[in-house]
Amino acid sequence: AKDAGGNRYEVADPDSDARAIDRHSLTTHLPAALERDEFFLEFQPLIRMSDGTVDGAEALVRWAHPVHGRLGPDRFIPLAEHTGLIVPLGRWVLEQAVAQTCTWASGLPLRVNVNLSPRQLHHPDLVPDTIAVLEAAGVEPSALCLEVTESALISADEAELKPLWQLAELGVDIALDDFGTGYSNLANLRKLPATTLKLDRSFTQGLQRHPADPVDVTFVEGIVSLAHALGLAVTVEGVETEHQAGQLRELGCDTAQGWYYARPSSATEFAREWATS
Ligand code: C2E
Ligand code: CA
Ligand code: CA
Ligand code: CA
């Protein structure tokens, strides 16, 4: 609020005014933040639509900023991507996420999804680093899914895709994130190492309405049949209502993620909530 007064900072809530925080100052503090362990992960379950059980978890990074409070990734990932800090930060995320799956022993999925930025994708250490992290934790490659945005993959040439193919050959799953927002040539799908399409939230929103937007229904139906024909699984993002979940299940989507099932939460809370499911 305005009356906080003077030049005092307020502790921000996750969605507070982005403009109030100086991007330059955030950018310069990123390296120290990584050293001081100010980043932390939250986990959101991926739910099998066939039976409602949990199939895995997506790791989502947050920054516990000493002045501004908790910051969401949209506030600092683009800055880290710009400066290159995303490479060590992304490696930290991978390590933490993979280590976390080991502590979730019985009753919980050992599968974890980790987001990769374009800059990580193009870094020469991606393959050796990923293998090293998995080996150090004693985790099978098939327990890891790397999420790469459709736009990052679509613009990549053959040489740039090679590391992902190598990881895919080792058994790491590759998901095409934010699918539907990248204007990709659908025929290109078969040339990508992806095993899963994550259909962007913007395409599942129309299914919240009663009745659902017929254009959105047709779109989802088409994508699901194309994906399945190509041997890809379909995950839907942003499922917020029961109505929407029911329709997406009927349309043949394999896995779902969204507030209807669970918001992202700490590893401890995630385990408490899902270990008994
Ligand atoms: P994303 O990969 O598309 O992740 C899904 C985002 O949707 C997350 O936002 C999640 O909290 C949010 N979400 C989940 N369910 C719902 C729902 O039902 N409704 C709505 N409205 N939103 C939902 P979050 O955590 O703020 O992350 C934003 C983006 O930041 C992510 O989008 C991803 O692109 C990026 N990101 C997060 N963690 C990392 C990371 O470790 N590395 C990289 N490179 N990027 C990351
Ligand atoms: Ca993602
Ligand atoms: Ca996404
Ligand atoms: Ca997104």
Side-chain angles (χ1 to χ4, degrees):
K2 267 246 141 37
D3 57 356
N7 46 19
R8 263 198 316 139
Y9 285 107
E10 283 177 85
V11 175
D13 72 35
D15 296 308
S16 77
D17 188 358
R19 285 162 304 181
I21 302 177
D22 176 8
R23 287 164 55 92
H24 178 72
S25 133
L26 285 187
T27 305
T28 53
H29 285 100
L30 280 168
L34 185 58
E35 259 164 52
R36 291 188 205 128
D37 248 351
E38 289 172 6
F39 296 103
F40 64 100
L41 296 184
E42 288 191 327
F43 296 87
Q44 188 178 32
L46 287 114
I47 306 294
R48 288 187 198 94
M49 297 213 94
S50 56
D51 61 4
T53 57
V54 58
D55 184 44
E58 180 174 3
L60 297 158
V61 69
R62 284 85 179 80
W63 182 0
H65 193 284
V67 175
H68 303 301
R70 192 190 118 115
L71 300 179
D74 291 337
R75 305 283 278 280
F76 61 86
I77 289 288
L79 308 178
E81 174 74 18
H82 186 70
T83 64
L85 193 83
I86 191 67
V87 172
L89 175 58
R91 194 190 149 107
W92 179 87
V93 169
L94 180 68
E95 264 167 11
Q96 295 292 308
V98 165
Q100 192 58 61
T101 63
C102 300
T103 71
W104 279 337
S106 57
L108 272 175
L110 295 177
R111 289 171 52 80
V112 72
N113 287 35
V114 172
N115 292 285
L116 270 197
S117 283
R119 191 118 170 198
Q120 291 174 270
L121 191 61
H122 301 141
H123 196 279
D125 291 341
L126 175 68
V127 176
D129 271 4
T130 305
I131 294 172
V133 167
L134 290 170
E135 278 179 355
V139 166
E140 291 298 318
S142 60
L144 175 66
C145 176
L146 295 175
E147 299 195 358
V148 187
T149 61
E150 180 194 16
S151 47
L153 277 198
I154 280 319
S155 57
D157 61 28
E158 226 165 283
E160 291 169 324
L161 288 175
K162 212 174 153 215
L164 281 187
W165 278 110
Q166 286 177 294
L167 290 170
E169 269 155 34
L170 286 171
V172 173
D173 275 331
I174 310 290
L176 215 47
D177 206 353
D178 300 344
F179 187 80
T181 61
Y183 307 103
S184 51
N185 175 352
L186 293 177
N188 273 337
L189 274 181
R190 62 205 306 185
K191 296 190 206 132
L192 299 174
T195 44
T196 304
L197 291 190
K198 290 192 80 174
L199 194 53
D200 192 69
R201 187 163 73 230
S202 53
F203 294 99
T204 56
Q205 262 163 0
L207 300 180
Q208 284 183 24
R209 287 185 221 124
H210 301 260
D213 185 330
V215 174
D216 285 318
V217 172
T218 305
F219 185 86
V220 174
E221 223 167 15
I223 291 298
V224 169
S225 69
L226 176 78
H228 286 171
L230 293 170
L232 301 170
V234 178
T235 299
V236 279
E237 304 189 304
V239 180
E240 296 181 354
T241 67
E242 190 177 0
H243 173 68
Q244 201 183 359
Q247 293 193 86
L248 289 163
R249 189 187 319 110
E250 264 172 44
L251 290 170
C253 298
D254 302 289
T255 321
Q257 193 177 349
W259 297 345
Y260 169 63
Y261 304 99
R263 302 235 172 191
S265 65
S266 72
T268 315
E269 234 174 278
F270 180 90
R272 199 184 306 131
E273 182 79 14
W274 297 98
T276 51
S277 77

